[in-house]
C-alpha cells in the first residue's frame, strides 16, 4: 500500500508540473506569440522565398518606406533615406527591436492568436502602416550629422506626432555590411540612440537647475546674482568656466552658459531640492512609448559633496540624459509645462501602435513661461536667429557633455519653435565633436528648414 501511495503522490506531482507548464506555455503564447513569430530565424518572414507578406510602411505624406515585392522585403530607392530611417522603419532580420517593423509586427503580418501567420478569411495578411515622420526631414538630419554618431528627434508638442527620428551609426538595410558584427564603425548600429541611448547632458541640464531655483524661490529667483572670474574652488576642488563673466543674473548666466553661476546656484538650492525637481521633470523616471523601453535620464545626488553638486548643476558629475526625454521636456516648456505623449502612428483606438493620448505637467506654467523667455533670449542675443529659418521663433539651449580625455565631448542642442503654425520641439546630440552650434545646431537648422518649408 505504501508503494501505491508513493506512486500516486509522484503522479500528482507530474500532473501538476504538466498543467503548470502548459499554463505557462499558453500564457506565453497569448502575451508573446507575435514576438515569437517575428524572430529573425522565422523563414516564413525573412527568407528570400518567405510565405508571409508584410504590409507596406509609408511616411506621413505617403512616401513608400518599406514593402514586400516578389517575396522580398525592400526599402525606399534612396540610400540616404534608407540609412536615415533604418532605426524607425526597421531591418529585414528583425534585429532593431525598437523599430516600427518589429514593434508593429502584429499589424504588418496580420498575426492573430487563432490563425497565427496563416492567411484566412478571418484575417488579411500584411496590413499597411503610415508613420508620422517626414522622410525628407529624416534624410536632412542624417546628412547634417555628417558622419558623426548621435541622434536627432523632433515632434509636434501639441499632437505628439514624431516628425523626425534619426540615429547613427546606421547602415543600408538593402545592403547589410558583411562585417557589421566585427567592424567597430558599426558598433551600436542596432541601437536607436534617440530611444535607447543616454549621454552626458552638459549645459542643457542648466535648464533644470533654473527650474529648481524657480521652485525654491518663486518670487526672488530672477534677482539671484553670482560672480564668475573664470575659476573658483568649491568643495575643495576647482570649478572652471570658459570665460570670466563678472556678475551675472540667471538669464545672462544661461545665455553665457556660465559654469560658476550654476555651480554656486546648485549648492544654494541643495542636493535634495535639485534632485526632487529633476525627478518631477522626468529624471529617474520611466517614460512610456508603447511597448518600447526608453532609457532613463539619470541624476543621483545622494551623498554628493559640494564639488560634486556644483558639477551636477552644470550637467556633468554622473548625469545622463536621453534624447527622447529631453525632447518631451522641451515640448512641455513650450506647452505651458504639459507633457504630451509622442506617437509614431496616427491611428487611434485599440490598435494605436506607438504613442497615444497621455498628458501631465512636468513643471508649472509660470516656470515654463520663464524658461521659454530665457531660451528665446539665448537665440536672439547669443546664438543668432540667422541659424534657423525665419519666423520660427526658436528657443534653444546648447550643451557640451564631457566624456573623458580620449574623446571629444557630446554636443547637444535642445529647444522648440514658439510658433503656432510649427509647434516643434527637438533634441539633438552629436558625439565626439566640440561645436554645439555648428554640429548639433546644424542638424536642427536642416530639419526645421524641411519641416517649415523654409
Amino acid at each position: 500500500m505504501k508503494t501505491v501511495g508513493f506512486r500516486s503522490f509522484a503522479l500528482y506531482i507530474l500532473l501538476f508540473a504538466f498543467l503548470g507548464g502548459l499554463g505557462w506555455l499558453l500564457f506565453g503564447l497569448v502575451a508573446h506569440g507575435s514576438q515569437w513569430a517575428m524572430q529573425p530565424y522565422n523563414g516564413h518572414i525573412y527568407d528570400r522565398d518567405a510565405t508571409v507578406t508584410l504590409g507596406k510602411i509609408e511616411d506621413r505624406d505617403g512616401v513608400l518606406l518599406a514593402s514586400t515585392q516578389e517575396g522580398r522585403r525592400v526599402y525606399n530607392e534612396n540610400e540616404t533615406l534608407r540609412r536615415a530611417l533604418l532605426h524607425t522603419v526597421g531591418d529585414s532580420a528583425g534585429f532593431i527591436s525598437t523599430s516600427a517593423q518589429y514593434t508593429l509586427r502584429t499589424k504588418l503580418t496580420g498575426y492573430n492568436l487563432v490563425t497565427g501567420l496563416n492567411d484566412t478569411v478571418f484575417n488579411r495578411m500584411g496590413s499597411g502602416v503610415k508613420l508620422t515622420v517626414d522622410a525628407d526631414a529624416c534624410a536632412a538630419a542624417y546628412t547634417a550629422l555628417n558622419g558623426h554618431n548621435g541622434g536627432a528627434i523632433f515632434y509636434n508638442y501639441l499632437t505628439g506626432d514624431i516628425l523626425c527620428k534619426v540615429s547613427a551609426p546606421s547602415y543600408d538595410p538593402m545592403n547589410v555590411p558583411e562585417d557589421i558584427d566585427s567592424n567597430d564603425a558599426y558598433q551600436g548600429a542596432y541601437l536607436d540612440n534617440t530611444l535607447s541611448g543616454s549621454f552626458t547632458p552638459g549645459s542643457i541640464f542648466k535648464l533644470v537647475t533654473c527650474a529648481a531655483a524657480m521652485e525654491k524661490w518663486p518670487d526672488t529667483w530672477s534677482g539671484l546674482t553670482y560672480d564668475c572670474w573664470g575659476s573658483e574652488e568649491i568643495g575643495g576642488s576647482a570649478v572652471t568656466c570658459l570665460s570670466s563673466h563678472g556678475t551675472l543674473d540667471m538669464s545672462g548666466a544661461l545665455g553665457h552658459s556660465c559654469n560658476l553661476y550654476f555651480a554656486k546656484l546648485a549648492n544654494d538650492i541643495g542636493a535634495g531640492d535639485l534632485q526632487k525637481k529633476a525627478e518631477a521633470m522626468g529624471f529617474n523616471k520611466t517614460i512610456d512609448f508603447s511597448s518600447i523601453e526608453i532609457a532613463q535620464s539619470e541624476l543621483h545626488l545622494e551623498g554628493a559633496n559640494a564639488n560634486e553638486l556644483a558639477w551636477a548643476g552644470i550637467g556633468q558629475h554622473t548625469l545622463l540624459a536621453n534624447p527622447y526625454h529631453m525632447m518631451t521636456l522641451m515640448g512641455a516648456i513650450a506647452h505651458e509645462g504639459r507633457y504630451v505623449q509622442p506617437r509614431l502612428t496616427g491611428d487611434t483606438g485599440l490598435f494605436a501602435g506607438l504613442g497615444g493620448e497621455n498628458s501631465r505637467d512636468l513643471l508649472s506654467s509660470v516656470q515654463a513661461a520663464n524658461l521659454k523667455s530665457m531660451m528665446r533670449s539665448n537665440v536672439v542675443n547669443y546664438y543668432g536667429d540667422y541659424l534657423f529659418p525665419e519666423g520660427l521663433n526658436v528657443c534653444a539651449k546648447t550643451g557640451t557633455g564631457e566624456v573623458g580625455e580620449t574623446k571629444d565631448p557630446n554636443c547637444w542642442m535642445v529647444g522648440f519653435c514658439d510658433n503656432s503654425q510649427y509647434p516643434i520641439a527637438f533634441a539633438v546630440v552629436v558625439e565626439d565633436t566640440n561645436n554645439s552650434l555648428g554640429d548639433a545646431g546644424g542638424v536642427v537648422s536642416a530639419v526645421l528648414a524641411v519641416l517649415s518649408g523654409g
Side-chain angles (χ1 to χ4, degrees), residues 235-253:
S237 298
V239 174
T240 58
C241 195
L242 292 177
S243 184
S244 181
H245 296 118
T247 302
L248 293 171
D249 62 8
M250 189 179 294
S251 181

Side-chain angles (χ1 to χ4, degrees), residues 344-365:
L344 194 55
T345 72
D347 296 342
T348 58
L350 182 61
F351 301 107
L354 307 184
E357 295 297 327
N358 184 17
S359 64
R360 58 183 181 273
D361 291 341
L362 296 185
L363 65 168
S364 75
S365 60

Side-chain angles (χ1 to χ4, degrees), residues 19-185:
L19 292 176
L22 181 61
W24 183 253
L25 177 62
L26 292 174
F27 171 78
L29 181 62
V30 173
H32 307 294
S34 63
Q35 182 177 345
W36 296 345
M38 289 292 289
Q39 290 302 311
Y41 48 73
N42 190 344
H44 295 288
I45 299 175
Y46 299 115
D47 282 356
R48 182 175 295 275
D49 298 321
T51 59
V52 173
T53 300
L54 274 69
K56 64 183 179 180
I57 300 176
E58 298 175 325
D59 86 337
R60 66 188 297 109
D61 297 318
V63 175
L64 187 62
L65 305 179
S67 63
T68 300
Q69 298 177 13
E70 299 179 353
R72 182 169 178 254
R73 198 65 170 165
V74 297
Y75 302 87
N76 188 279
E77 61 184 12
N78 183 288
E79 181 180 345
T80 299
L81 196 149
R82 294 197 300 265
R83 290 174 176 269
L85 283 160
L86 170 70
H87 298 88
T88 300
V89 172
D91 64 313
S92 296
F95 290 131
I96 303 177
S97 60
T98 56
S99 68
Q101 198 152 263
Y102 187 90
T103 308
L104 300 179
R105 56 192 176 271
T106 299
K107 183 170 184 177
L108 287 166
T109 62
Y111 172 90
N112 69 50
L113 184 62
V114 177
T115 62
L117 290 174
N118 295 305
D119 194 358
T120 72
V121 295
F122 300 104
N123 66 311
R124 297 186 63 82
M125 304 302 293
S127 298
V129 171
K130 177 169 283 193
L131 304 182
T132 61
V133 295
D134 183 299
D136 290 336
C138 294
Y142 185 78
T143 300
L145 280 169
N146 197 29
H148 286 282
N149 294 340
I153 185 164
F154 294 64
Y155 89 137
N156 183 312
Y157 56 76
L158 300 182
T159 66
D161 288 357
I162 293 179
L163 304 172
C164 173
K165 184 167 75 66
V166 172
S167 179
S170 184
Y171 61 89
D172 183 356
M174 292 283 286
N175 300 284
V176 180
E178 294 182 359
D179 61 347
I180 188 170
D181 294 321
S182 59
N183 189 333
D184 288 343

